[in-house]
C-alpha cells in the first residue's frame, strides 16, 4: 500500500488532509525517536568509557523523550547497578518490565540486583523467568545456580551449573562454580570433585592453546644483581575475606628482594583496593582482558613467580595459569582444594593444613611453610571485647560463617551440642539470613533434630549495618562453633578469636576442614581442636562449664593473638619469600639441565 500524498485525505478518517493531520504527528514521532536514539547511543558510549554519571544522565534524557522506552530503563539500571545503587537499579528494571514484560534481559538484570541485596527467592524467580524466555541463555542457569546455592539447595544448584555447561561447555565460570560446590562439601568431594577438576582445563582452554602451552619456554636472568619478580593475581583486591590476609603480606614483603606486581581482576574499587594499590610497585587492572592477552602481558612483565589467590572461586583467572604465563606458578590462600591445572606447580600450605597424608588430593606439589600459612592483620579499629557472662547461666554458641559452610552434618552436630546443653541457644549471623527462605529452612532443619525455634537466634546483614557493629556482635557469643563437612572458618575464625571468643573445631581429613585447626595450633590452643564429633561436643560442654576460665580468656586473648605467629605478617612474608626464591632456583636448575641435555 503506497503512502498518501501531502494533499490526499488522511487515512485515519479525520476528514483532514494528510499534511494537516497524521503526517505532522509521524514526523514528530520520528524526530523523538531520532533524539532518543542519540541520547541512548551516547549513554552506551559513555558507559563503555566508564563515565557512569554522564551515561546515566544520557539515558534519563532518552527516557524523558520516551517514558515507555524499556531498553532505556534497562541500560540506566545497568549503570546504577555498576555504581552500587541497587535500589535504584531495581526500580528501573521493574519499570522496563512494566513496558516490556517479556524482556529476558530485564528479568535477568533484575535478578542480579536482587541477588546482590540478598533477596534470593525473588532473584531465583527472575532467573527462572529468564530461562523460560531464553532457554539457551547459559548465564541465566548459572546465576540461578548461585541463588539456589545460597538458599541451601545444593543439588538444584548443581543441576543449574550442569545445564549452563550443556549449553556452553567452555563456560569457565559455571565450571568453577560447580567445582566450588564439589570441593567444599564432603558429600561431593571424593566422588565428584577430583574427577571433575581434572576436566576444567580440557573444557575451558582450547586444544591448540594447551598444545602451545606445553611448548612454551622462558628465559630469565640469574637473580644475582636483581630482584625476584612476583605477581599476585586475584579478583578479591577489595572488601573481601582474602584481602584481610593479603594486605598485611603486601605491606611486609621485602621490596629490596621482591619486585611486587598485583593483577586485579575486578571492575569495582573501594577503600581496600586503594590501600592495596599503595603497597605494590606495579598495579595492573586486568578485568575483562582476555586470558591469552593477559598471559602475554604477564610474560612481557617478566614475572618469575606468579601466584594465584583465587582457585575456583569467583573472578578467578585460572585460564591465564592454564596457558602458563610465568616459569613458576603457585596457588596460595583463596581456595581450599587443588586447582588440578597442569601448569600450577605448587600449592602452599603448612603442616596442619596440608599434612603429608593429603598429598594425593593435589595435582600440584604441596609446599609446606615452616609456620602457619596465613597471617591475620589484627583489626586495631575493632571495638574492645565487651562480653560478660550471663548471671543466670544462659549461653550462646554459634557461628557467623556463610551458609554454604553450614552442611546437614553441621546442623546435626550442633543439635547434639544443644541437647547436651539445655541452657544454650544457637546464634547464627550471616548476610544470607536476610533472606526469609533461609531463616525458615534453618528453623525447619533444627526442628528435625528436636531443637525448637525459641532456642535459635538468626541475624542477617541488617542486624549490623556498620562493620564495628558486626564485630561487637561477637560479644553476644560465648563459644564459636566451626562448621563440619565443608570449609571451616577462615576470616570468621580470626574475627571471633580477635574478639575473645574461643573456637571449637573438628579437624577433618582434607584441607578445607583444617584451616581453623592450623590457626588454633599457631595460637597455642590445640585443646580446642577435636578429632571426632563426640570430642567436639565434649569440648564445647567443658568450655561452657568453665565460666571462670572463659572470663580470664576474654580479657587476654586479643593480646595473645597479636603476639602469636597468627599475626606475624613479617614472619609470613619472609617465609613466603624464601619459598618463592627456592621455587625459582629449582626451575632455573631444571631449565639449565634441559639446555645442556
Amino acid at each position: 500500500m503506497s503512502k498518501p500524498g501531502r494533499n490526499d485525505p488522511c487515512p485515519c478518517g479525520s476528514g483532514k488532509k494528510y499534511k494537516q493531520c497524521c503526517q505532522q504527528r509521524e514526523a514528530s514521532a520520528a524526530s523523538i525517536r531520532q533524539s532518543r536514539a542519540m541520547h541512548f547511543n551516547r549513554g552506551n558510549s559513555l558507559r563503555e568509557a566508564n563515565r557512569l554519571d554522564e551515561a546515566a544522565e544520557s539515558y534519563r534524557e532518552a527516557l524523558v523523550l520516551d517514558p515507555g522506552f524499556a531498553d532505556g530503563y534497562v541500560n540506566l539500571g545497568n549503570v546504577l547497578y555498576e555504581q552500587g545503587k541497587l535500589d535504584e537499579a531495581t526500580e528501573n528494571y521493574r519499570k522496563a518490565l512494566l513496558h516490556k514484560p517479556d524482556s529476558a534481559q530485564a528479568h535477568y538484570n533484575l535478578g542480579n540486583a536482587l541477588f546482590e541485596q540478598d533477596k534470593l527467592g525473588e532473584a531465583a524467580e527472575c532467573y527462572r523467568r529468564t530461562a523460560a524466555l531464553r532457554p539457551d541463555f547459559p548465564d541465566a542457569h548459572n546465576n540461578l545456580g548461585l541463588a539456589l546455592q545460597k538458599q541451601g539447595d545444593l543439588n538444584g544448584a548443581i543441576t543449574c551449573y550442569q545445564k549452563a555447561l550443556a549449553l556452553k561447555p567452555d563456560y569457565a565460570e559455571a565450571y568453577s562454580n560447580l567445582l566450588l560446590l564439589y570441593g567444599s562439601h564432603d558429600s561431593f568431594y571424593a566422588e565428584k570433585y577430583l574427577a571433575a577438576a581434572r576436566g576444567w582445563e580440557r573444557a575451558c582452554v582450547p586444544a591448540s592453546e594447551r598444545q602451545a602451552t606445553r611448548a612454551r619456554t622462558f628465559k630469565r636472568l640469574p637473580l644475582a644483581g636483581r630482584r625476584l619478580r612476583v605477581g599476585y593475581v586475584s579478583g578479591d583486591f577489595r572488601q573481601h575475606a582474602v584481602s584481610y590476609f593479603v594486605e598485611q603480606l603486601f605491606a611486609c614483603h621485602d621490596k629490596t628482594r621482591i619486585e611486587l606486581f598485583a593483577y586485579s581482576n575486578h571492575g569495582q574499587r573501594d577503600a581496600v583496593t586503594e590501600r592495596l594499590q599503595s603497597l605494590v610497585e606495579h598495579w595492573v587492572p586486568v578485568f575483562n582482558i582476555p586470558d591469552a592477552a593477559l598471559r602475554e602481558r604477564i610474560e612481557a612483565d617478566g614475572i618469575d613467580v606468579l601466584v594465584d589467590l583465587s582457585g575456583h572461586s569467583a573472578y578467578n583467572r585460572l585460564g591465564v595459569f592454564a596457558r602458563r604465563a610465568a616459569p613458576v606458578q603457585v596457588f596460595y590462600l583463596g581456595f581450599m582444594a587443588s586447582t588440578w591445572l597442569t601448569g600450577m606447580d605448587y600449592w602452599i600450605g603448612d603442616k596442619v593444613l596440608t599434612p603429608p597424608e593429603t598429598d594425593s588430593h593435589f595435582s600440584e606439589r604441596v609446599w609446606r611453610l615452616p609456620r602457619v600459612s596465613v597471617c591475620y592483620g589484627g583489626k586495631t579499629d575493632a571495638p574492645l571485647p565487651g562480653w560478660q557472662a550471663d548471671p543466670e547461666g544462659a549461653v550462646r554458641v554459634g557461628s557467623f560463617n556463610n551458609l554454604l559452610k553450614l552442611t546437614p552434618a553441621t546442623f546435626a552436630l550442633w543439635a547434639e551440642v544443644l541437647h547436651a546443653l539445655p541452657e544454650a541457644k544457637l546464634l547464627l549471623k550471616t548476610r544470607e539470613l536476610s533472606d526469609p527462605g533461609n531463616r525458615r529452612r534453618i528453623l525447619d532443619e533444627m526442628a528435625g533434630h528436636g531443637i525448637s525455634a525459641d532456642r535459635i537466634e538468626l541475624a542477617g546483614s541488617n542486624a549490623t549495618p556498620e562493620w564495628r557493629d558486626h564485630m561487637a556482635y561477637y560479644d553476644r557469643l560465648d563459644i564459636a562453633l566451626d562448621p563440619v563437612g565443608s570449609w571451616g572458618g577462615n576470616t570468621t575464625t580470626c574475627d571471633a578469636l580477635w574478639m575473645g571468643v574461643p573456637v571449637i573445631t573438628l579437624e577433618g581429613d582434607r584441607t578445607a576442614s583444617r584451616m581453623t585447626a592450623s590457626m588454633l595450633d599457631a595460637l597455642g590452643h590445640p585443646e580446642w581442636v577435636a578429632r571426632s564429633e563426640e570430642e567436639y561436643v565434649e569440648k564445647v560442654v567443658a568450655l561452657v562449664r568453665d565460666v571462670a576460665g572463659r572470663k580470664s580468656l576474654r580479657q587476654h586473648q586479643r593480646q595473645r593473638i597479636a603476639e602469636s605467629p597468627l599475626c606475624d605478617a613479617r614472619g609470613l612474608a619472609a617465609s613466603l619469600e624464601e619459598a618463592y626464591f627456592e621455587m625459582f632456583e629449582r626451575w632455573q636448575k631444571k631449565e639449565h639441565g634441559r639446555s645442556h641435555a
Side-chain angles (χ1 to χ4, degrees), residues 167-458:
L167 292 168
K168 185 180 177 182
D170 62 347
Y171 193 172
E173 181 183 343
Y175 206 135
S176 284
N177 288 338
L178 185 64
L179 291 177
L180 179 66
L181 272 190
Y182 285 165
S184 61
H185 281 250
D186 276 343
S187 55
F188 303 127
Y189 181 74
E191 177 186 357
K192 308 265 184 156
Y193 180 80
L194 296 177
R198 294 182 179 97
W200 184 95
E201 192 169 6
R202 186 171 59 254
C204 301
V205 181
S208 60
E209 296 196 42
R210 296 199 307 272
Q211 184 176 358
T213 297
R214 289 191 290 271
R216 187 162 290 124
T217 59
F218 297 88
K219 293 181 179 180
R220 292 290 184 269
L221 294 173
L223 288 176
R226 74 175 182 92
R227 294 178 295 168
L228 187 73
R229 290 191 162 199
V230 177
Y232 287 93
V233 184
S234 178
D236 300 325
F237 292 144
R238 55 194 166 93
Q239 188 73 33
H240 189 277
V242 168
S243 70
Y244 293 141
F245 298 99
V246 169
E247 185 170 353
Q248 298 301 311
L249 173 62
F250 282 7
C252 291
H253 264 315
D254 184 349
K255 306 304 192 298
T256 66
R257 306 181 71 208
I258 299 288
E259 187 174 354
L260 197 56
F261 292 71
Y263 298 93
S264 178
N265 190 48
H266 201 284
Q268 296 179 355
R269 295 175 62 89
D270 57 22
V272 176
T273 311
E274 299 295 334
R275 293 201 305 269
L276 290 170
Q277 182 170 348
S278 72
L279 295 173
V280 301
E281 293 176 76
H282 307 278
W283 181 267
V284 188
V286 299
F287 188 59
N288 284 337
I289 296 178
D291 286 339
L294 179 53
R295 188 209 69 76
E296 291 175 0
R297 166 63 195 264
I298 293 171
E299 183 174 2
D301 286 340
I303 298 301
D304 300 308
V305 178
L306 190 66
V307 186
D308 172 43
L309 296 173
S310 297
H312 285 288
S313 62
Y315 300 101
N316 74 70
R317 297 308 300 262
L318 290 181
V320 175
F321 286 82
R323 289 165 171 83
R324 177 65 77 175
V328 177
Q329 299 193 146
V330 185
F331 171 80
Y332 174 61
L333 188 62
F335 189 70
M336 288 294 107
S338 172
T339 65
W340 282 96
L341 296 185
T342 56
M344 196 70 78
D345 303 305
Y346 298 99
W347 204 102
I348 293 177
D350 60 54
K351 65 178 182 179
V352 178
L353 182 67
T354 51
E357 56 267 29
T358 65
D359 283 359
S360 62
H361 299 174
F362 298 90
S363 62
E364 307 89 346
R365 177 173 180 173
V366 177
W367 191 287
R368 295 177 186 86
L369 299 181
R371 47 151 292 139
V372 61
S373 58
V374 297
C375 173
Y376 180 68
K379 299 174 179 177
T380 56
D381 53 345
L384 293 173
W387 171 88
Q388 292 183 349
D390 186 275
E392 298 182 3
V395 294
R396 289 183 177 89
V397 297
S399 168
F400 293 1
N401 280 283
N402 70 64
L403 292 191
L404 177 61
K405 298 181 180 183
L406 307 191
T407 63
T410 296
F411 288 119
L413 181 56
W414 289 354
E416 290 186 35
V417 169
L418 293 176
H419 285 306
L421 293 166
E423 70 273 34
K425 287 188 174 183
L426 179 68
L427 171 59
L428 303 179
K429 181 182 181 298
T430 187
R431 62 177 292 178
E432 295 100 335
L433 288 174
S434 299
D435 181 71
N438 277 335
R439 294 197 295 272
R440 183 73 262 160
R441 175 174 64 85
I442 288 173
L443 293 176
D444 290 345
E445 180 91 20
M446 294 304 287
H449 295 291
I451 303 299
S452 60
D454 62 355
R455 296 188 67 191
I456 302 171
E457 296 181 20
L458 304 176

Side-chain angles (χ1 to χ4, degrees), residues 457-533:
E457 296 181 20
L458 304 176
S461 53
N462 56 341
T464 54
E466 302 296 331
W467 176 79
R468 285 178 61 86
D469 299 331
H470 166 74
M471 294 297 284
Y473 218 83
Y474 279 101
D475 290 337
R476 303 186 182 208
L477 197 58
D478 292 274
I479 297 168
L481 305 178
D482 206 33
V484 300
S486 177
W487 290 16
N490 296 322
T491 308
T492 308
T493 294
C494 291
D495 286 349
L497 293 169
W498 189 249
M499 293 303 297
V501 187
V503 181
I504 298 297
T505 188
L506 175 61
E507 185 179 78
D509 60 359
R510 59 193 178 90
T511 301
S513 56
R514 300 177 69 90
M515 178 56 83
T516 294
S518 176
M519 293 172 172
L520 293 177
D521 179 76
L523 182 57
H525 275 300
E527 73 278 9
W528 293 348
V529 180
R531 268 75 186 184
S532 68
E533 292 188 355

Side-chain angles (χ1 to χ4, degrees), residues 121-135:
E122 294 178 75
E125 285 306 309
C126 288
Y127 295 137
R128 289 190 181 97
R129 180 63 175 155
T130 306
L133 290 166
R134 281 189 57 188

